[in-house]
């Protein structure tokens, strides 16, 4: 397998220790858990999504393991502004704060709380199971551009996480780019549900949720490929990445780095495991393979 040289990594304005980033919502709930993932080898970390008001999230069950992935409907639980102190001990670290809101102004308000703390922001415009947030507004190019402009105005790196649950992800990516995004993150979970045959009811408390994990990797790969064709800013691949081979494949499709989420559920040391196989002294520069699958 192709290996990479371990060199300086900078994606969308954020300097990373390697190409492997903790995805939002997975062990990003406290400063201690973020620090733990850094010690476990994550080159950068993204927090849980923080919104304008505290939310308890959906009633359980909220997370169900499946063969080949997970299905969840958390409902964006978060402490809102009370999360700020969690990041005070991580000053200077590559910590990207995931934020959400229902309007551009709400995105701007939340970003203002972390302006002097975060290495950058990731706009959650893609959660498929939170009414009025995420994909509910992230499928509208005009709204995506407006929300991005509001946060980009702070002059900090601005990543925009996109939903795959649209007809043309390229048009959404272009809207984010026009709004000042410095990178695109593709993708969030794919809309899904399961039903309990015995109970004759949906298994999730919210009925509907989103699938993550290896089963959505081909979907995420296609979205990264399409965005590389449609946009000119860096792309961060997210969705089912669980190995060094997955990482290389994502990069060949056009990703400059990857985020890892569901794989942490089974193995919190997955970052070190992947890095040990991904990097070697005689590896190739990452720039040599990013987008190389495009004819």
């Amino acid at each position: 397998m192709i290996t990479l040289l371990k060199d300086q990594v900078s994606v969308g304005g954020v300097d990373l220790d390697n190409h492997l980033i903790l995805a939002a919502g997975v062990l990003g709930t406290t400063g201690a858990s973020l620090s733990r993932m850094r010690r476990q080898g994550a080159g950068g970390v993204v927090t849980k999504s923080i919104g304008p008001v505290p939310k308890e999230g959906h009633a359980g069950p909220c997370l169900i393991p499946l063969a080949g992935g997970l299905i969840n409907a958390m409902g964006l639980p978060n402490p809102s502004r009370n999360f700020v102190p969690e990041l005070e001990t991580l000053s200077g670290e590559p910590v990207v704060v995931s934020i959400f809101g229902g309007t551009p102004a709400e995105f701007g308000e939340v970003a203002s709380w972390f302006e002097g703390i975060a290495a950058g922001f990731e706009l959650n415009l893609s959660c498929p199971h939170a009414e009025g947030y995420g994909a509910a507004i992230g499928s509208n190019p005009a709204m995506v551009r407006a929300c991005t402009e509001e946060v980009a105005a702070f002059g900090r790196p601005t990543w925009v996480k996109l939903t795959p649950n649209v007809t043309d992800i390229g048009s959404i990516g272009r809207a984010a780019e026009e709004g000042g995004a410095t990178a695109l993150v593709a993708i969030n979970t794919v809309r899904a549900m399961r039903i309990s045959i015995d109970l004759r009811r949906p298994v999730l408390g919210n009925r509907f949720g989103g699938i993550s994990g290896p089963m959505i990797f081909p979907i995420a790969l296609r979205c990264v490929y399409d965005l590389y064709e449609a946009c000119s800013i860096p792309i961060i691949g997210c969705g089912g990445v669980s190995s060094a081979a997955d990482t290389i494949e994502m990069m060949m499709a056009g990703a400059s780095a990857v985020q890892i989420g569901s794989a942490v559920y089974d193995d919190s040391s997955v970052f070190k495991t992947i890095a040990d196989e991904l990097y070697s002294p005689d590896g190739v520069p990452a720039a040599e393979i990013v987008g190389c699958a495009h004819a």
Side-chain angles (χ1 to χ4, degrees), residues 122-197:
E122 180 178 283
L123 279 62
N124 182 346
L125 287 163
S126 47
C127 177
H129 47 75
E131 186 175 351
Y133 299 109
I137 59 176
S139 57
N140 181 330
M143 182 63 80
V144 168
R145 177 171 180 167
C147 292
T148 306
E149 286 176 339
E150 191 76 21
V151 176
F154 288 97
R156 304 295 297 155
T158 303
W159 300 355
V160 177
K161 192 167 187 178
L162 305 179
T163 175
N165 304 304
V166 292
T167 303
D168 179 12
I169 196 170
S171 65
I172 307 299
R174 285 192 296 271
E177 183 173 8
E178 291 164 0
T182 58
L184 304 172
V185 181
I187 53 175
N188 209 317
T189 56
V190 179
R191 289 184 298 185
M193 70 179 300
R194 290 300 300 266
I195 293 173
S196 167
I197 296 173

Side-chain angles (χ1 to χ4, degrees), residues 2 7 15 23 31 37 42 44 49 52 59 62 76 85 91 103 105 114 121 127 132 142 145 164 190 236 238 266:
I2 293 174
D7 205 350
D15 293 331
M37 290 298 96
S49 292
C62 295
L76 296 175
S91 178
T103 65
F114 300 95
F121 299 110
C127 177
R145 177 171 180 167
V190 179
I236 299 165
C238 181
D266 293 320

Side-chain angles (χ1 to χ4, degrees), residues 11-12 19 25 33 36-37 107 121 130 145-146 157 171-172 191 215 223 245 252 271:
V11 179
H19 295 88
S33 62
R36 177 188 171 200
M37 290 298 96
F107 272 95
F121 299 110
R145 177 171 180 167
S171 65
I172 307 299
R191 289 184 298 185
M215 64 174 64
C223 289
M252 287 181 171
F271 295 101

